[in-house]
Amino acid sequence: MDWLNLSPDEWSAVRLSLKVATWAMLASLPFGIAVALLLARRDFRGKSLVDGIVHLPLILPPVVTGYLLLLGFGRRGPIGGFLEEQFGIVFAFRWTGAALACAIMGFPLMVRAIRLSIEAVDRRLEQAAGTLGASRLRVLATITLPLSLPGIIAGMILSFAKAMGEFGATITFVLNIPGETQTLPSAIYTFLQIPGGEAGAMRLTIVSIAIAMGALILSEWLARRAARATGGA
């Protein structure tokens, strides 16, 4: 079973992937909930355009998304230059940039799952709470979001899983720097480019499958538990 023993560099890629995916998921969650609420509960001019922009990363080639991120958030980009000058925040060629790329690539999946869950909430419950004097914020916090919790959990796990597997946008925006931006997909790609690297690629492939399956099983368990909790309430 020696072929299952990961080298320090391989462990570094695993840890970095988990770190990047976790931060990508958590950072995008508030925005995902807000956009899902907007699309599920509001009718406004340009709604189809907003919906299209949200889902654009699913349609565009990942390399295009990464290139656009490099133009906007690179050190010479309008957003990246401003953030570095004013706050010292750098995305290009850093793990934070990998997290940003993964968050954007997983954002459509998160929004769609949360939006469908919110749309499934009976609006009569929200209206009844409103007639009893509850504010919109209270209705959101006590009715809409708790009843949408299974979809929120599903959206989080989908975003996490997408981030774990993201390659094209990440390698275009932050390259493939060992210890800094080399995630699992990048490490597997590197192994496949060198003679005798098949064993390393296989080890990381097995790790990727294990993490993905674990995330899906956890998602199903949490969603069922949340559904039972909201149903019992």
Side-chain angles (χ1 to χ4, degrees):
M1 300 295 288
D2 290 340
W3 61 281
L4 285 177
N5 294 327
L6 302 184
S7 69
D9 288 341
E10 292 165 3
W11 276 117
S12 176
V14 173
R15 288 192 296 267
L16 182 61
S17 291
L18 292 171
K19 178 181 178 181
V20 165
T22 300
W23 275 103
M25 175 188 68
L26 294 177
S28 59
L29 181 59
F31 301 100
I33 293 175
V35 173
L37 278 169
L38 179 68
L39 295 175
R41 289 291 189 253
R42 293 288 182 270
D43 290 320
F44 55 91
R45 183 175 298 177
K47 182 177 179 178
S48 297
L49 178 61
V50 173
D51 190 37
I53 293 174
V54 168
H55 289 86
L56 201 58
L58 290 180
I59 303 171
L60 287 175
V63 173
V64 173
T65 302
Y67 179 62
L68 292 175
L69 285 172
L70 188 60
L71 291 178
F73 288 88
R75 290 189 170 184
R76 296 183 179 180
I79 303 175
F82 172 79
L83 291 176
E84 182 178 8
E85 181 180 346
Q86 299 297 323
F87 305 103
I89 300 175
V90 179
F91 286 105
F93 314 122
R94 301 284 180 85
W95 74 266
T96 49
L100 175 62
C102 290
I104 290 176
M105 294 302 295
F107 192 70
L109 299 175
M110 174 182 285
V111 170
R112 184 166 182 80
I114 298 176
R115 177 184 178 180
L116 292 175
S117 188
I118 292 174
E119 289 176 343
V121 174
D122 192 344
R123 300 196 69 169
R124 292 174 297 181
L125 295 174
E126 298 172 331
Q127 294 168 355
T131 59
L132 294 175
S135 64
R136 289 186 177 181
L137 184 60
R138 186 173 179 83
V139 171
L140 175 66
T142 59
I143 295 178
T144 308
L145 292 183
L147 292 177
S148 304
L149 189 57
I152 294 174
I153 293 173
M156 292 173 64
I157 299 300
L158 285 172
S159 174
F160 178 86
K162 177 64 175 176
M164 286 294 299
E166 174 51 39
F167 175 72
T170 303
I171 200 170
T172 304
F173 183 35
V174 297
L175 299 183
N176 182 14
I177 306 172
E180 182 65 37
T181 65
Q182 189 178 76
T183 57
L184 275 172
S186 300
I188 293 173
Y189 173 79
T190 300
F191 273 121
L192 293 176
Q193 302 307 305
I194 59 176
E198 292 81 3
M202 179 57 69
R203 286 194 295 269
L204 293 184
T205 298
I206 293 173
V207 172
S208 299
I209 293 173
I211 293 175
M213 287 300 300
L216 291 174
I217 293 172
L218 178 62
S219 170
E220 184 68 18
W221 181 76
L222 289 174
R224 288 184 178 181
R225 187 168 183 177
R228 287 197 298 266
T230 54

